[in-house]
Amino acid sequence: MSKFKFGAHISTSGGVSNAVTNSTNISAKSFALFLKSPRRWVSPMFTDDEVNKFKALCKEHNYNSRTEILPHGSYFINLANPDLEKEEKAYGAFLDDLKRCELLDIGLYNFHPGSDLGSDHQEALKRLAKNINTAINETKFVKIVIENMAGHGNLIGSDLEDIKTVIDMVDDKSRVGVCIDTCHTFAAGYDIRDEESYNAFWELYDKTIGFEYLSAIHLNDSKAPLGANKDLHQKIGWGFLGLEPFRLIANSEFLQGIPLVLETPNDNTPQLWEEEIKLLEWLEGKSKDDPAVLERAAELSKLGKTERDQHSAKYAKKVEKGKKKTTKKGSIKDQPTVIDQLNKRKK
Ligand SMILES: [Zn+2]
Ligand SMILES: [Zn+2]
């Protein structure tokens, strides 16, 4: 029996209660779902019949809906939007999601922290925190779980410091949490590929935000290299992360008890998630140099090679272009290099 709650982001097509059966079908111990179409502002509310069915199925299949189900918010919800009208519209969709959670007796809700859209970043963090506070006051129990992001610049949450700043401004800290996405973490520039970097990341996470807030993990390999700021999920072991960080996760006691949810591309075949769940459970208790683990890692890595090569080339081109652009502007010469800055500090 696995000690971990490995699961996947499940389809709700045909009705929200189908998510429960879909996740038992792939032997998931936890699951994620959308509460409404993630690309539409308004969707009809669940019928009483659907709500009752959902709750009954959770009971029948032993899912604790307060701790093992992690709905994912709509992508376009930006609670930090500097345009008041748009901010209010986003808040409406956010609150609607939270109400849906409570109707289904779901205890966790995960969302993307949004973007400052070029406006003052600290003010955007304040708006986000203000909206979280209001939402907590307007609901009863659902925990609002902030996900870390892959991007840079205007996006909120690719820097762990952003999440810390927002949580600091939340009044009821028992109602806010964090979801760490492995792909986003790596794409944002935090290396987690081997034991040393993996441990260093969690140390930094704990120092910056705190383990008490860790509420879920999204399990994704990355199609793009370290620091590429690209949100491109890949199948486990196929990407630039490789199998090792997932073996480390499957041997991290502190991750037992929270949803560990796959969002990997599954080619419309949910059985691929079942295989990935089995793979993750198989990694439990296995050491880094176990010959079977090494063999599996090599097999999976081979399957993803073509895509890794493609994205490496794309990234290299982008870096090259970025350099040329700055050189043309002439700004690269005026900017002090990292080495310059370090030397200055020494003086
Ligand atoms: Zn995610
Ligand atoms: Zn993502």
Side-chain angles (χ1 to χ4, degrees):
M1 248 299 258
S2 170
K3 293 192 180 108
F4 293 82
K5 296 182 191 299
F6 292 118
H9 185 119
I10 286 298
S11 156
T12 55
S13 102
V16 71
S17 66
N18 286 347
V20 189
T21 30
N22 287 342
S23 75
T24 9
N25 285 343
I26 58 161
S27 315
K29 310 290 188 307
S30 67
F31 64 92
L33 70 158
F34 289 121
L35 297 161
K36 54 192 180 214
S37 165
R39 295 173 209 285
R40 247 184 299 136
W41 280 104
V42 188
S43 293
M45 189 41 85
F46 309 130
T47 61
D48 288 348
D49 187 44
E50 262 304 302
V51 172
N52 293 334
K53 234 166 131 186
F54 183 90
K55 288 184 182 169
L57 284 167
C58 283
K59 216 175 190 179
E60 189 188 329
H61 297 292
N62 287 313
Y63 288 109
N64 181 336
S65 61
R66 291 289 180 106
T67 57
E68 295 171 349
I69 306 178
L70 181 76
H72 197 300
S74 308
Y75 297 122
F76 51 74
I77 291 182
N78 181 12
L79 297 177
N81 200 313
D83 179 319
L84 181 64
E85 211 173 291
K86 287 180 182 154
E87 180 197 348
E88 281 172 354
K89 196 173 179 193
Y91 178 76
F94 184 71
L95 185 65
D96 176 71
D97 265 1
L98 297 177
K99 294 249 159 94
R100 285 167 191 260
C101 288
E102 298 202 336
L103 204 57
L104 299 170
D105 201 38
I106 288 174
L108 299 166
Y109 173 79
N110 151 234
F111 78 113
H112 292 181
S115 166
D116 63 33
L117 298 173
S119 67
D120 183 272
H121 195 68
Q122 291 308 314
E123 287 302 317
L125 299 182
K126 277 188 205 160
R127 274 193 298 279
L128 172 56
K130 174 201 72 187
N131 284 314
I132 292 175
N133 280 325
T134 316
I136 288 173
N137 287 331
E138 293 192 71
T139 49
K140 293 187 196 75
F141 59 84
V142 62
K143 186 180 267 192
I144 296 168
V145 179
I146 306 170
E147 181 169 351
N148 72 324
M149 290 288 106
H152 62 148
N154 299 337
L155 269 195
I156 294 170
S158 11
D159 190 331
L160 295 179
E161 289 283 347
D162 278 358
I163 301 178
K164 179 219 163 24
T165 307
V166 173
I167 292 179
D168 279 348
M169 290 186 276
V170 172
D171 299 324
D172 183 352
K173 307 247 188 299
S174 71
R175 296 276 308 274
V176 67
V178 175
C179 172
I180 293 294
D181 183 306
T182 52
C183 167
H184 299 176
T185 300
F186 183 68
Y190 301 100
D191 200 357
I192 49 167
R193 281 173 295 185
D194 56 22
E195 194 161 358
E196 200 184 324
S197 55
Y198 177 86
N199 289 340
F201 169 74
W202 283 119
E203 229 168 82
L204 180 69
Y205 167 85
D206 191 36
K207 217 176 73 192
T208 314
I209 300 173
F211 272 124
E212 64 273 31
Y213 293 106
L214 189 66
S215 305
I217 304 284
H218 282 170
L219 300 165
N220 299 301
D221 207 328
S222 170
K223 282 190 190 181
L226 176 67
N229 297 119
K230 286 266 182 248
D231 185 358
L232 291 169
H233 300 183
Q234 179 59 295
K235 296 185 178 86
I236 302 301
W238 287 41
F240 281 94
L241 280 172
L243 193 59
E244 177 61 5
F246 300 99
R247 186 196 65 81
L248 290 163
I249 285 171
N251 288 281
S252 295
E253 235 172 82
F254 66 93
L255 298 178
Q256 291 172 1
I258 61 171
L260 308 171
V261 179
L262 290 160
E263 293 178 319
T264 48
N266 78 346
D267 315 330
N268 283 319
T269 317
Q271 281 69 37
L272 288 183
W273 282 331
E274 185 169 20
E275 282 169 29
E276 287 189 320
I277 290 169
K278 277 194 189 135
L279 169 67
L280 291 159
E281 292 179 348
W282 176 77
L283 289 168
E284 287 181 47
K286 294 258 192 316
S287 71
K288 181 181 137 193
D289 37 24
D290 184 317
V293 171
L294 293 172
E295 195 186 324
R296 201 65 209 276
E299 272 169 27
L300 294 167
S301 170
K302 204 173 159 193
L303 290 168
K305 187 177 185 309
T306 316
E307 270 178 296
R308 284 201 309 280
D309 288 348
Q310 279 166 3
H311 286 282
S312 281
K314 257 191 210 165
Y315 183 54
K317 229 184 231 169
K318 203 178 122 191
V319 170
E320 187 56 33
K321 244 192 200 163
K323 262 188 206 157
K324 273 184 194 146
K325 222 175 171 183
T326 18
T327 322
K328 255 185 211 154
K329 271 196 232 152
S331 55
I332 205 165
K333 279 182 205 154
D334 308 331
Q335 275 169 10
T337 64
V338 176
I339 306 273
D340 287 341
Q341 282 171 345
L342 283 174
N343 285 339
K344 251 183 212 161
R345 227 178 277 162
K346 265 188 192 163
K347 280 174 201 166

